[in-house]
Amino acid sequence: MSAKVTIAEVAKRAGVSTMTVSRVLNNTGPVKKETAERIRAIIAELNYQPNLVARSLSSKRSMMIGIIINRVKKVFFDNYIGQIGSGITDIVQERGYRVMFFPVETDREKTSAYLDIVRSHVIDGLIILRSKTDNPHIQMLADNEVPFMLVNHKKYKKNYNFIDTENIEGTKTAMRHLYTNGHRKIAFFAGSMDETNSIDRLKAYHTAVKELRLVVNEEWVRYAEFDKQKAFEEAGKLLQCTNRPTAILASDDYMAIGAMERLQKEGLRVPQDMAVIGFDDVELASYVKPSLTTIRQPLTELGRVAAENLLNMIAGTQKSPVHKFLKLELVKRNSG
Amino acid sequence: MSAKVTIAEVAKRAGVSTMTVSRVLNNTGPVKKETAERIRAIIAELNYQPNLVARSLSSKRSMMIGIIINRVKKVFFDNYIGQIGSGITDIVQERGYRVMFFPVETDREKTSAYLDIVRSHVIDGLIILRSKTDNPHIQMLADNEVPFMLVNHKKYKKNYNFIDTENIEGTKTAMRHLYTNGHRKIAFFAGSMDETNSIDRLKAYHTAVKELRLVVNEEWVRYAEFDKQKAFEEAGKLLQCTNRPTAILASDDYMAIGAMERLQKEGLRVPQDMAVIGFDDVELASYVKPSLTTIRQPLTELGRVAAENLLNMIAGTQKSPVHKFLKLELVKRNSG
DNA sequence: TTGAAAGCGCTAACAT
DNA sequence: ATGTTAGCGCTTTCAA
């Protein structure tokens, strides 16, 4: 890499110490106007750029925010992440930070996984999307007092910060909607049971079943791990039940869509023969036929709020713990 | 951040110098077996993790690969990026590197934009998706001898490396397909004209028009900048033409879908009244109604090849320039 | 308003 | 097989 200009070089040419240059660079401490201008001119002339790594090592801050994405699916950047990531990025950049997205494989062995990038000050704070409940890294982050925010995850611990949605209420809303439409036998497609969202939604399903005095059938609860293909398969099994439900509520849109595909493949009409409702409102939801009725999560907003709180915690203007919930909204379309 | 264990601490406890610990850490140079084991035990006991930033500063490598995503759309992580990113990530992790995704705003002012992260050794190499032709940063990377690969971009310069697809052939294939289906009046929706892909596809459209001796009409070429909404609007204008085409070839799927939505909104049937063909084969393409016929780009493979070549260049086993093209494939569905 | 010294935590290069 | 020295490029701290 040619022509590496360092702060020392700039200082030398300006006839000042590196500290003065540093002050100009960071707007820290007083510098005489003319000196500052001279230095700025030289910086421009030499096209000098501070070495971020050296700066991080020395100052222990990087002005970077990391976004951890649990890489479970093959194509992990889906519209769910796209919407949340967009919200985060907006806020973070507004406040002069940069964002970096880290896909990480969920191996429970490498305990270091992403503690090291924070400890090393590669990034100043972390936003973690849809963490697993048994993720050991989170506790390490907390123990190390690393600023972090969990998105779409819930854990009431005083050094855990999260922003989640009102899953219980949302699930009930969906159930009541189906009930109103005449459904009394409702199946539920659960996501990964190691995510609090899944757990909450499943629990709420059971509660709603009781509250609405619905028929209960264990076979109607299918586990598909937020995976479209798995939902496709589980829907097949569901159709084998002697006592067939008339509606499906799925824990996310991708599962709803997978299930719907299977139903249609087997010749059923949606929603006439079986209604289907999803969760999230990803881009695909409005494109499938019939378009998907779903419980909309305000994903972009989720990202924005997470970013705001994280940055405030880093700045020290917000104290831990942050435990927030955003509202959900039923989006009525044509699938149920 | 509590209990910061450094290499010095490990060395002290092991009764050796930091260099010996460093050697154990990096498998560099010889260390007596027992010493190594003792050191490893202490590392485990103290839960020591090397400081990545200090390591980067000293060694000038970070074992990280950056992926630059031009942030033009609001939700920038779409399925196009998802597929490419997935391919990249697979290869990069296989080879012991990590990946980080950087969304960057396309402001031409900040010339530093992403040169600084490489110069600073935050990352060892860069993959850039769909760069603009007038992107000044690329030349800076080249001038600074930064290892980089452009994906879905073409530029024959000896210090530019790219992996692209055979856009010309692909476009012609699509045109011939429409021709075979009886179409003689074919419209074209061009993407952003500051991307080589768009330029190539538009050029190929014109060539095909000539080769197939088709009717020519300037109004049939619409510019929609890879934007679904813009395509929606342009399709409206297209319908105003006195001499209306019978088919649309779009430079990417999102535009094709936007156009299709408008046609359907105006009461036209696709493909009977107007055929529509896209480019890419993103996830949405198979979900829209009618499902989208498209020229499939091997997106995941594109990512894999980009990553392989980049890592080889970093390792010194691959020389610049790398100029590669992957084949395209017509995916026949129901829209044309 | 400016500078000098020290050090962030690690590894390269050269000893031994 | 191991250690010493120096330094990566910056900022912190203290002094002037």
Side-chain angles (χ1 to χ4, degrees):
Chain A
M1 231 153 300
S2 69
K4 45 182 62 172
V5 189
T6 70
I7 197 172
E9 174 70 14
V10 174
K12 198 174 117 197
R13 295 228 196 178
V16 297
S17 75
T18 60
M19 261 322 290
T20 306
V21 179
S22 176
R23 286 188 183 106
V24 171
L25 242 32
N26 303 296
N27 282 315
T28 159
V31 178
K32 209 204 301 181
K33 211 169 185 181
E34 298 122 58
T35 317
E37 268 160 24
R38 182 157 37 95
I39 291 172
R40 261 188 274 275
I42 291 170
I43 286 173
E45 184 197 342
L46 298 183
N47 190 24
Y48 164 73
Q49 290 171 4
N51 182 314
L52 302 176
V53 165
R55 177 179 277 176
S56 293
L57 182 61
S58 174
S59 72
K60 287 151 185 12
R61 3 186 281 128
S62 62
M63 299 301 284
M64 301 238 190
I65 297 298
I67 301 172
I68 301 289
I69 292 153
N70 237 317
R71 194 187 178 199
V72 281
K73 297 181 200 168
K74 187 87 199 67
V75 174
F76 49 102
F77 279 127
D78 55 20
N79 186 256
Y80 168 86
I81 291 172
Q83 289 191 55
I84 295 181
S86 173
I88 295 173
T89 305
D90 280 340
I91 299 298
V92 165
Q93 292 187 342
E94 229 166 62
R95 309 245 311 234
Y97 281 75
R98 296 199 211 183
V99 295
M100 327 194 324
F101 291 76
F102 291 85
V104 304
E105 312 291 331
T106 333
D107 51 359
R108 285 116 216 281
E109 338 232 344
K110 276 227 156 187
T111 173
S112 60
Y114 36 91
L115 183 55
D116 60 351
I117 59 177
V118 204
R119 262 198 192 164
S120 305
H121 303 288
V122 172
I123 57 190
D124 295 337
L126 220 41
I127 294 178
I128 301 166
L129 306 188
R130 288 218 325 212
S131 171
K132 306 288 178 190
T133 48
D134 60 350
N135 183 337
H137 308 147
I138 310 291
Q139 187 57 49
M140 304 207 71
L141 294 177
D143 291 343
N144 283 271
E145 287 167 42
V146 170
F148 71 92
M149 282 290 304
L150 302 166
V151 173
N152 253 348
H153 186 89
K154 176 183 93 179
K155 180 129 186 175
Y156 290 108
K157 286 184 83 166
K158 73 170 190 307
N159 44 7
Y160 274 50
N161 311 292
F162 67 78
I163 165 88
D164 201 4
T165 53
E166 297 184 340
N167 289 300
I168 315 263
E169 258 323 300
T171 304
K172 286 185 182 175
T173 301
M175 292 293 283
R176 282 193 290 263
H177 171 71
L178 288 169
Y179 184 91
T180 305
N181 285 357
H183 296 282
R184 295 297 178 268
K185 302 197 286 185
I186 305 175
F188 187 80
F189 275 49
S192 313
M193 292 316 291
D194 51 1
E195 296 188 21
T196 62
N197 278 271
S198 289
I199 297 168
D200 284 354
R201 290 170 199 171
L202 176 57
K203 211 178 294 176
Y205 161 76
H206 282 125
T207 309
V209 160
K210 265 180 219 141
E211 285 179 4
L212 298 168
R213 301 167 191 281
L214 299 180
V215 189
V216 181
N217 189 326
E218 265 316 308
E219 286 182 304
W220 295 346
V221 176
R222 317 299 316 184
Y223 298 85
E225 301 183 11
F226 291 127
D227 188 281
K228 188 156 79 73
Q229 182 54 33
K230 285 221 176 75
F232 183 89
E233 287 151 21
E234 290 299 319
K237 293 183 198 159
L238 186 68
L239 293 178
Q240 306 301 322
C241 297
T242 44
N243 189 7
R244 206 186 257 187
T246 64
I248 295 175
L249 171 57
S251 253
D252 89 345
D253 289 343
Y254 290 106
M255 289 193 296
I257 291 166
M260 211 158 78
E261 283 177 8
R262 182 58 175 268
L263 298 180
Q264 290 170 333
K265 190 189 163 200
E266 305 289 345
L268 278 78
R269 291 163 308 160
V270 177
Q272 297 91 333
D273 300 328
M274 181 107 54
V276 177
I277 295 191
F279 218 107
D280 278 354
D281 196 22
V282 295
E283 185 185 40
L284 255 184
S286 54
Y287 284 97
V288 289
K289 286 285 138 85
S291 59
L292 191 68
T293 294
T294 189
I295 302 294
R296 178 171 190 281
Q297 291 209 82
L299 298 174
T300 303
E301 182 63 13
L302 219 44
R304 300 177 70 90
V305 175
E308 266 159 8
N309 281 280
L310 179 66
L311 293 174
N312 290 343
M313 289 173 60
I314 291 172
T317 61
Q318 165 74 57
K319 295 227 180 314
S320 198
V322 174
H323 295 169
K324 290 195 180 174
F325 294 90
L326 299 189
K327 295 219 174 303
L328 293 166
E329 172 195 1
L330 175 68
V331 178
K332 291 184 200 173
R333 294 204 183 91
N334 302 315
S335 67
Chain B
M1 227 154 303
S2 71
K4 44 183 62 173
V5 189
T6 69
I7 197 172
E9 175 69 15
V10 175
K12 198 174 117 197
R13 295 228 194 176
V16 297
S17 76
T18 61
M19 264 320 292
T20 306
V21 179
S22 175
R23 287 189 182 105
V24 171
L25 241 32
N26 303 295
N27 282 314
T28 158
V31 178
K32 210 207 296 181
K33 212 170 186 179
E34 298 122 57
T35 316
E37 269 161 24
R38 183 157 36 95
I39 290 172
R40 259 188 278 272
I42 291 171
I43 286 174
E45 184 197 340
L46 298 183
N47 189 25
Y48 165 73
Q49 290 171 3
N51 182 313
L52 301 178
V53 164
R55 179 180 275 175
S56 294
L57 182 60
S58 174
S59 72
K60 286 152 184 13
R61 7 185 278 125
S62 62
M63 299 301 283
M64 301 237 192
I65 297 298
I67 301 173
I68 301 289
I69 293 154
N70 238 315
R71 193 185 179 202
V72 282
K73 295 178 202 170
K74 186 87 200 66
V75 175
F76 48 102
F77 279 126
D78 56 19
N79 186 255
Y80 169 86
I81 291 172
Q83 290 191 54
I84 294 181
S86 174
I88 294 173
T89 306
D90 281 340
I91 298 299
V92 165
Q93 292 188 342
E94 229 166 61
R95 310 245 312 235
Y97 281 75
R98 297 200 210 180
V99 295
M100 330 194 322
F101 292 75
F102 291 85
V104 303
E105 313 289 333
T106 332
D107 52 0
R108 286 115 216 282
E109 337 233 346
K110 277 226 156 187
T111 173
S112 59
Y114 35 90
L115 182 55
D116 59 352
I117 60 177
V118 204
R119 263 197 191 164
S120 305
H121 303 288
V122 173
I123 58 188
D124 295 337
L126 220 42
I127 294 178
I128 302 165
L129 306 189
R130 289 218 325 212
S131 171
K132 305 288 177 190
T133 47
D134 60 351
N135 183 337
H137 308 146
I138 310 291
Q139 186 58 48
M140 303 208 69
L141 294 176
D143 291 344
N144 284 270
E145 286 166 42
V146 170
F148 72 93
M149 283 287 306
L150 303 166
V151 173
N152 252 348
H153 185 91
K154 176 183 93 177
K155 179 127 185 178
Y156 290 109
K157 286 184 82 166
K158 72 171 192 307
N159 43 8
Y160 274 50
N161 311 290
F162 67 77
I163 164 88
D164 200 3
T165 52
E166 296 184 340
N167 290 300
I168 314 263
E169 258 323 302
T171 305
K172 286 186 182 174
T173 302
M175 292 293 283
R176 281 193 291 263
H177 171 72
L178 288 169
Y179 185 91
T180 305
N181 285 357
H183 295 284
R184 295 298 178 268
K185 302 195 288 182
I186 305 175
F188 186 81
F189 276 48
S192 313
M193 293 316 290
D194 51 1
E195 295 188 21
T196 62
N197 279 270
S198 289
I199 297 169
D200 283 354
R201 290 169 199 172
L202 177 57
K203 210 179 292 176
Y205 161 76
H206 281 126
T207 310
V209 161
K210 266 180 215 139
E211 286 179 6
L212 297 168
R213 299 168 193 281
L214 299 179
V215 188
V216 183
N217 189 328
E218 266 314 310
E219 287 182 303
W220 296 345
V221 177
R222 318 297 317 183
Y223 298 87
E225 300 183 13
F226 289 128
D227 186 282
K228 190 156 78 73
Q229 182 54 34
K230 285 223 176 75
F232 183 90
E233 287 152 21
E234 290 299 317
K237 294 184 197 160
L238 187 67
L239 293 178
Q240 305 301 324
C241 297
T242 44
N243 188 7
R244 207 187 256 186
T246 64
I248 295 174
L249 171 57
S251 253
D252 89 345
D253 288 344
Y254 291 105
M255 288 193 296
I257 291 166
M260 212 158 78
E261 282 177 9
R262 182 58 176 268
L263 298 180
Q264 290 171 332
K265 192 189 162 202
E266 304 288 346
L268 278 78
R269 293 164 306 161
V270 176
Q272 298 90 331
D273 300 328
M274 181 107 54
V276 177
I277 295 191
F279 217 106
D280 278 352
D281 197 20
V282 294
E283 186 185 39
L284 256 185
S286 54
Y287 284 97
V288 290
K289 286 285 139 88
S291 59
L292 191 68
T293 294
T294 189
I295 301 296
R296 179 172 189 280
Q297 290 210 84
L299 297 174
T300 303
E301 181 65 12
L302 218 44
R304 299 177 70 90
V305 174
E308 267 160 8
N309 281 280
L310 179 66
L311 293 174
N312 290 343
M313 289 173 59
I314 290 172
T317 61
Q318 164 75 57
K319 294 225 182 314
S320 198
V322 175
H323 295 168
K324 289 194 181 175
F325 295 90
L326 300 188
K327 295 220 175 300
L328 294 166
E329 173 194 1
L330 175 68
V331 179
K332 291 184 201 173
R333 295 204 183 91
N334 300 316
S335 67

